[in-house]
Amino acid sequence: MALYEKVKLYLEANSRSWDDSTVALQNDGDGDYIKTWNIDGLNKPTDAELDAYEETANFNIAINNLRKERNNLLVQTDWYILPDVPLTPAEKSTMMNYRATLRNITEGLQTAEDVEAVALPGIPVL
């Protein structure tokens, strides 16, 4: 993630926005760095602070993608839980358990790596 994006996330998290008159980045050949930081009441972020915002951004992107995939599977199985669908009690239980597993699949995930390690279960064949 580029320094600009990290700084922008840092500013947004602190209820600030990018303003070229108060923040300037520069690259002298050794990589980007913050050349100017003139934001009242907000300290210039350290590299560690910026890296933490990058990790958070990567996690948010990964978890949102996982939720989209999960939600798609839930939509595909919505009709199974309608009261007039002719399923045996065992089939209904299988589908309800599958959907509960999908809804709970994001619990306990804390890093982008955790999210990327999740394998969504396929729709059960009834």
Side-chain angles (χ1 to χ4, degrees):
M1 178 177 285
L3 179 60
Y4 170 82
E5 293 167 313
K6 292 179 189 180
V7 170
K8 188 174 178 205
L9 288 170
Y10 177 77
L11 290 169
E12 288 172 356
N14 288 283
S15 301
R16 307 294 175 91
S17 59
W18 189 277
D19 180 347
D20 289 334
S21 68
T22 57
V23 178
L25 304 182
Q26 188 161 327
N27 186 323
D28 296 329
D30 292 329
D32 291 338
Y33 66 94
I34 300 171
K35 179 181 178 186
T36 305
W37 187 268
N38 294 319
I39 298 181
D40 291 334
L42 185 60
N43 292 330
K44 179 180 167 182
T46 65
D47 289 342
E49 288 172 322
L50 292 175
D51 288 345
Y53 282 97
E54 179 177 14
E55 291 172 21
T56 299
N58 289 340
F59 172 77
N60 288 338
I61 290 166
I63 198 80
N64 287 337
N65 288 338
L66 177 61
R67 285 181 177 138
K68 285 178 189 175
E69 292 178 49
R70 183 260 330 258
N71 291 346
N72 183 45
L73 291 170
L74 286 168
V75 166
Q76 290 180 47
T77 59
D78 279 346
W79 70 275
Y80 282 104
I81 60 170
L82 296 172
D84 60 343
V85 174
L87 294 177
T88 66
E91 290 171 330
K92 187 150 189 126
S93 177
T94 296
M95 192 53 64
M96 297 298 282
N97 289 336
Y98 170 73
R99 289 172 55 83
T101 298
L102 288 176
R103 284 190 303 276
N104 298 330
I105 205 137
T106 59
E107 289 181 9
L109 302 177
Q110 297 180 353
T111 66
E113 291 79 19
D114 291 345
V115 175
E116 290 163 5
V118 170
L120 288 168
I123 298 173
V125 177
L126 302 178

